[in-house]
Amino acid sequence: MHDTGTAAPSAPAPKQDTAPHPGTSGDHKHARRFGLPVATCLVMGNIIGGGIFLLPASVAPFGTVSLVAFAVLTAGAIALALVFGRLAERDPRTGGPYVYARAAFGDFAGFLAAWSYWITTWVSNAALAVAAVGYLDVLVPVADHKATACLAALVLQLLPALANFAGTRYVGAVQLVATVLKFLPLLLVAFGGLFFFDPDNLGPFQAGDEGPIGAVSASAAILLFSYLGVESAAVSAGEVRDPRRNVGRATILGTLGAALVYLLGTLAVFGTVAHDKLVTSTAPFSDAVDVMFGGSWGGTAVALAALVSMVGALNGWTLLSAQTPYAAARDGLFPAAFARKKRGVPTTGVLVTVVLASLLTVYNYTAGPSGVFEVLVLVTTFTATVPYLLATAAQIYFLLSGQGARVHRSRLVRDAVLAAVAFAFSMWLVAGAGYTAVYQGVLFLFAGVLVYAWMAARKQRTATSSG
């Protein structure tokens, strides 16, 4: 009988993803495992997409109290990052939350983590590409015609996919270059803006009518999803050198790096752009650059940085979109084609993701104002948090079930507190998604139950015939 609930603690773990992958002699040349710097860039690049370039204006209406919300969220994100580091230390296989949920609660929970994460990645890729066209249009006019804009969005998805098809060596190179290029202008504003900082620009500490707690909660609802992506190194653990050590380090360093850029960048913009102008700004970083250096070239510079940022995020998310289905396929919970690797990359997963994201992109430009595309993007705000909840619940299960091989007794209390904070943070993410996102996200999640029934039946039939 297939496992639909809990897994016995003594059940043998699935095969470790440490054996070399078969392929041509060129596979080894192009399939290079990520070191700590590239793994850190993967985390930072996936956390920071293009949203940071609008964040200061988004939270400005709440006043500088929004910086308090940033600090609270950062603490929650770091707790989540620490939990992923602990889980990866215990089980350093490709798949991240899928692996942890399945080990703790069985096939069904693992499948739900994989299914929801996969939906998140390919829908997010389409949304990233569409958003990137807006920044590209500042540099090269492409948005005047739908066909041109659609073609540009498809090319922006295809280029990172080609890097993935070329192998993990090229994925890592693109991620490293993209992260460096996008952080240079961000750090320029974040640190350079402090020299142009004028306290009079900050405006009121609390700009709205809500109380301090209400203002923090309201601004936090906007900022909550700024930290999605902390799991990136854990999902790709099988491609990281010395994953037991480096996944946790990369997750913490990447999350801290992203938090530093978020906090300093927002504070610098708050202090350089007058509050009344910032509230209505559509390009707050451009306005900050114009104040710092004069002229009006800030829009072009920030558009270029945002475009590089989003292409880097597309590169990383394309890899992640294939890693979780790959891990599930190895366990018979996704179609077997997803388990094939070439040059260290699950090429079927990359191909399917690019096709689905491209179809959704074309739909966005041809369907008119139906709002279905926006609904799908909203759904990802919920589906992204499901693996977090399952992974943190798995850590709590490992801690409370007294499995000696999985828990460091000396760290029991500390790990338990971290897991509880990370679980609460994940629940906060779900609440912040809103009723509509949760309702529609649950429908998408339950649609996967039918897929699970099909794959579990095939797995059972195969096991029966081979036995």
Side-chain angles (χ1 to χ4, degrees):
M1 183 180 294
H2 62 269
D3 191 355
T4 58
T6 57
S10 58
K15 184 172 65 174
Q16 294 287 330
D17 186 23
T18 55
H21 302 291
T24 64
S25 58
D27 284 1
H28 210 54
K29 174 183 175 183
H30 301 288
R32 179 179 295 177
R33 288 180 180 266
F34 301 145
L36 180 60
V38 171
T40 302
C41 286
L42 184 66
V43 175
M44 293 178 72
N46 286 356
I47 290 176
I48 300 180
I52 185 175
F53 296 97
L54 289 174
L55 270 181
S58 299
V59 297
F62 301 102
T64 51
V65 70
S66 57
L67 295 175
V68 177
F70 249 134
V72 173
L73 288 173
T74 299
I78 290 173
L80 187 60
L82 285 166
V83 169
F84 275 121
R86 292 281 187 266
L87 287 166
E89 185 180 333
R90 186 194 67 81
D91 197 339
R93 284 177 293 146
T94 292
Y98 159 76
V99 172
Y100 317 140
R102 181 171 180 265
F105 309 122
D107 284 354
F108 186 58
F111 174 83
L112 287 180
W115 176 259
S116 58
Y117 195 76
W118 184 57
I119 290 173
T120 300
T121 53
W122 63 264
V123 176
S124 295
N125 273 14
L128 269 172
V130 171
V133 170
Y135 291 106
L136 178 63
D137 188 58
V138 176
L139 307 173
V140 182
V142 293
D144 292 339
H145 303 285
K146 281 189 176 182
T148 309
C150 182
L151 181 61
L154 294 175
V155 170
L156 286 170
Q157 290 180 62
L158 182 61
L159 292 177
L162 291 176
N164 274 265
F165 284 130
T168 51
R169 177 180 182 179
Y170 296 96
V171 174
V174 170
Q175 199 64 29
L176 189 61
V177 171
T179 302
V180 171
L181 287 179
K182 79 177 176 184
F183 274 93
L184 286 176
L186 288 173
L187 290 174
L188 174 65
V189 174
F191 288 98
L194 298 179
F195 293 99
F196 297 86
F197 193 91
D198 183 354
D200 292 336
N201 288 328
L202 290 176
F205 176 73
Q206 185 185 325
D209 297 330
E210 320 93 323
I213 295 178
V216 168
S217 298
S219 54
I222 295 174
L223 300 170
L224 273 172
F225 301 96
S226 302
Y227 286 106
L228 293 181
V230 296
E231 76 291 341
S232 301
V235 172
S236 294
E239 318 310 325
V240 177
R241 285 198 298 269
D242 191 8
R244 293 185 189 277
R245 181 181 184 185
N246 284 335
V247 166
R249 290 184 172 188
T251 302
I252 296 302
L253 291 174
T255 305
L256 285 173
L260 181 67
V261 172
Y262 278 153
L263 288 166
L264 287 181
T266 302
L267 180 62
V269 173
F270 273 19
T272 53
V273 182
H275 182 261
D276 57 345
K277 182 180 179 181
L278 183 60
V279 170
T280 58
S281 174
T282 57
F285 272 81
S286 296
D287 294 338
V289 171
D290 290 343
V291 169
M292 291 165 60
F293 301 107
S296 58
W297 55 274
T300 301
V302 170
L304 182 60
L307 188 61
V308 170
S309 177
M310 297 181 111
V311 170
L314 278 166
N315 179 65
W317 281 109
T318 299
L319 176 65
L320 297 189
S321 71
Q323 297 287 25
T324 299
Y326 162 78
R330 282 171 61 90
D331 297 326
L333 298 179
F334 257 61
F338 284 89
R340 296 175 191 149
K341 272 193 173 184
K342 189 174 183 182
R343 295 170 179 166
V345 174
T347 49
T348 299
V350 171
L351 179 62
V352 172
T353 291
V354 170
V355 169
L356 289 173
S358 297
L359 289 173
L360 186 54
T361 301
V362 171
Y363 177 84
N364 174 69
Y365 285 104
T366 58
S370 63
V372 175
F373 181 80
E374 289 76 10
V375 168
L376 287 173
V377 172
L378 191 63
V379 164
T380 65
T381 62
F382 169 74
T383 57
T385 62
V386 173
Y388 293 177
L389 280 171
L390 289 170
T392 52
Q395 174 72 337
I396 292 170
Y397 166 76
F398 295 141
L399 292 169
L400 297 181
S401 60
Q403 299 178 50
R406 297 177 174 177
V407 179
H408 294 274
R409 295 293 180 182
S410 61
R411 298 197 310 221
L412 180 59
V413 174
R414 182 176 64 180
D415 283 357
V417 171
L418 282 173
V421 172
F423 187 84
F425 177 67
S426 301
M427 286 294 292
W428 196 13
L429 285 171
V430 173
Y435 292 108
T436 303
V438 173
Y439 168 72
Q440 292 162 341
V442 167
L443 294 180
F444 267 74
L445 198 62
F446 285 175
V449 174
L450 186 61
V451 179
Y452 173 78
W454 171 49
M455 293 307 304
R458 286 187 58 182
K459 183 179 178 182
Q460 179 67 24
R461 193 164 58 245
T462 302
T464 303
S465 61
S466 62

